[in-house]
Amino acid sequence: MKKTIGETPMIKIKYKYKYKNKEKEIYVKLEQYNLTGSIKDRIALYIIEETEKSKILKEKMPIIEATSGNTGISFAALGAKTNHPVYIFIPDFVSSERIKLLKSYGAKVTLVKREEGGFKKCIELADKLSKEINGYRPNQFSNYLNSKCHYLKTGREIIEQVKEEKIGGFVSGIGSGGTIMGVSKKLKEYYPNILIGAVMPKEMPLLNKDIPTRHKIEGIGDDFIPELLDQKIINKVFYIEDEDAINMARLLSKKLGLGVGISSGANFLGAVLLGESSNEIVVTIFPDDNKKYLTTDLSKPINLNKNLISNKIELLSYEEI
Ligand code: PMP
């Protein structure tokens, strides 16, 4: 039997890009199949289990986190299961579905306005509250258990699922950096020459300029370089435009029936671009599904602008592996 968290399915998507007679493939891990519908269930479960074991997280202790959504939703659901009250600090410009979901799992939610300092302010307020009420701060951006979980689980699952095929590239967007760090570390043990591609929002303001973010690829590009990230592991950075990421996600849904979130669209574009430099398998992640974005631009019609990379990709089919 499949567990409620982890052991997610993998598919390969066939497509053509640039050359009419050259069919290519991207291997994708579908993380929407986790308990609350995102990759973040993995780290919330692992962090709670490990810190309960080491007694850092004591019985009924509050969990306090700053998040752009999915991490908070995962902690809220698992906090309800394990009897930990959950306090979430979240920028007010995330999709309304995220905030409603957090509340539905019983989390106490504080919205922080862009003018108040956006994401960085969320972290400051979470730190302050955890001191005041003696709460546990998972701090996904610096918590080594985050990347370790992806090293032990997500990365290992990828190796097992692609079996005898050789992986030439891995692409992931960077939020906390946990996915790219953990998965890359595991894959590099098996494929030392693998190319690692990072996806970042093109519309992100310059880092460390203290301008809260305005881009639309929710879940990645959170205003600062996370402590977990070691930039040396990255071979290529793909700066993806908001509209291209959104349009790619729309196309995956309309053409293949894969209802995925905006960062999945961005990851797919990054994987196709990395695929131009590799004749071996390229793997990426679809971190969540489309349901948290129904009130966003994702629900608008396909953008037919021929300059978008998403419109230069011909999606052919996908199959489970
Ligand atoms: N996409 C989405 C939708 C996410 O919620 C996240 C996590 N914030 C990511 C991508 C990036 O994952 P990570 O935090 O492991 O870098």
Side-chain angles (χ1 to χ4, degrees):
M1 280 292 274
K2 191 200 164 300
K3 293 190 183 144
T4 54
I5 296 177
E7 306 292 339
T8 52
M10 186 180 250
I11 57 170
K12 58 178 173 186
I13 298 179
K14 292 196 168 69
Y15 67 96
K16 284 183 189 167
Y17 177 59
K18 285 194 178 162
Y19 307 103
K20 284 260 170 296
N21 50 2
K22 198 168 171 197
E23 212 173 285
K24 297 197 76 164
E25 289 170 351
I26 302 287
Y27 285 57
V28 188
K29 198 103 169 100
L30 293 182
E31 291 299 312
Q32 70 198 65
Y33 287 92
N34 287 300
L35 181 70
T36 74
S38 90
I39 191 164
K40 288 300 185 165
D41 287 340
R42 291 174 179 272
I43 70 145
L45 176 68
Y46 188 66
I47 291 175
I48 290 176
E49 279 177 356
E50 291 298 304
T51 53
E52 278 186 341
K53 254 190 252 165
S54 60
K55 306 268 188 278
I56 292 169
L57 181 61
K58 300 182 185 67
E59 231 176 89
K60 300 207 170 124
M61 198 173 185
I63 297 174
I64 302 162
E65 187 62 313
T67 156
S68 58
N70 279 328
T71 306
I73 291 167
S74 301
F75 272 117
L78 294 173
K81 179 176 181 240
T82 52
N83 288 319
H84 294 285
V86 174
Y87 295 77
I88 296 298
F89 292 85
I90 186 163
D92 71 346
F93 43 84
V94 300
S95 72
S96 57
E97 290 89 335
R98 279 171 156 69
I99 295 159
K100 285 186 180 153
L101 282 169
L102 282 166
K103 291 184 178 166
S104 79
Y105 290 119
K108 294 172 185 65
V109 181
T110 304
L111 295 175
V112 178
K113 291 196 182 78
R114 185 175 274 124
E115 312 82 71
E116 290 174 319
F119 215 87
K120 282 189 187 163
K121 187 72 181 177
C122 290
I123 293 179
E124 202 182 302
L125 292 173
D127 285 342
K128 186 163 169 275
L129 181 68
S130 76
K131 286 193 190 107
E132 283 165 13
I133 64 169
N134 189 28
Y136 171 61
R137 282 277 288 114
N139 203 346
Q140 56 170 331
F141 300 97
S142 59
N143 191 338
Y144 177 63
L145 293 174
N146 173 357
S147 53
K148 191 172 175 195
C149 167
H150 291 297
Y151 170 78
L152 292 174
K153 298 172 190 238
T154 324
R156 178 187 48 76
E157 289 171 28
I158 291 172
I159 304 272
E160 286 169 7
Q161 284 167 310
V162 297
K163 295 193 189 93
E164 68 279 2
E165 308 268 15
K166 187 160 182 268
I167 302 178
F170 175 68
V171 174
S172 171
I174 300 174
S176 66
T179 308
I180 198 161
M181 288 308 297
V183 172
S184 301
K185 189 172 170 209
K186 175 61 80 184
L187 297 185
K188 271 173 181 280
E189 289 174 359
Y190 289 77
Y191 313 103
N193 298 324
I194 188 172
L195 292 173
I196 305 298
V199 168
M200 292 301 280
K202 197 166 187 180
E203 277 93 340
M204 199 166 111
L206 287 175
L207 288 169
N208 301 326
K209 289 272 181 213
D210 277 332
I211 315 165
T213 207
R214 279 187 182 278
H215 71 83
K216 295 180 181 170
I217 313 180
E218 293 186 36
I220 67 170
D222 289 327
D223 288 346
F224 51 85
I225 299 170
E227 226 176 290
L228 276 185
L229 186 70
D230 174 2
Q231 294 182 61
K232 288 199 291 292
I233 63 138
I234 299 170
N235 299 105
K236 290 191 180 215
V237 184
F238 300 105
Y239 292 96
I240 303 294
E241 278 178 32
D242 286 353
E243 186 57 18
D244 228 348
I246 295 170
N247 205 49
M248 192 69 245
R250 290 179 192 134
L251 287 163
L252 285 161
S253 178
K254 286 246 161 56
K255 304 274 179 196
L256 298 182
L258 292 168
V260 293
I262 297 171
S263 71
S264 305
N267 279 357
F268 189 74
L269 287 169
V272 168
L273 295 174
L274 190 81
E276 295 300 284
S277 331
S278 174
N279 286 320
E280 288 152 350
I281 283 178
V282 174
V283 178
T284 191
I285 307 265
F286 286 172
D288 64 3
D289 70 13
N290 54 359
K291 295 184 192 62
K292 257 173 262 126
Y293 307 91
L294 295 174
T295 58
T296 73
D297 288 356
L298 187 61
S299 297
K300 290 186 180 162
I302 303 280
N303 182 334
L304 298 172
N305 181 345
K306 290 204 167 56
N307 293 323
L308 294 175
I309 305 166
S310 50
N311 284 328
K312 295 177 186 155
I313 298 169
E314 188 188 347
L315 293 170
L316 300 171
S317 64
Y318 79 89
E319 63 190 62
E320 290 175 32
I321 65 161

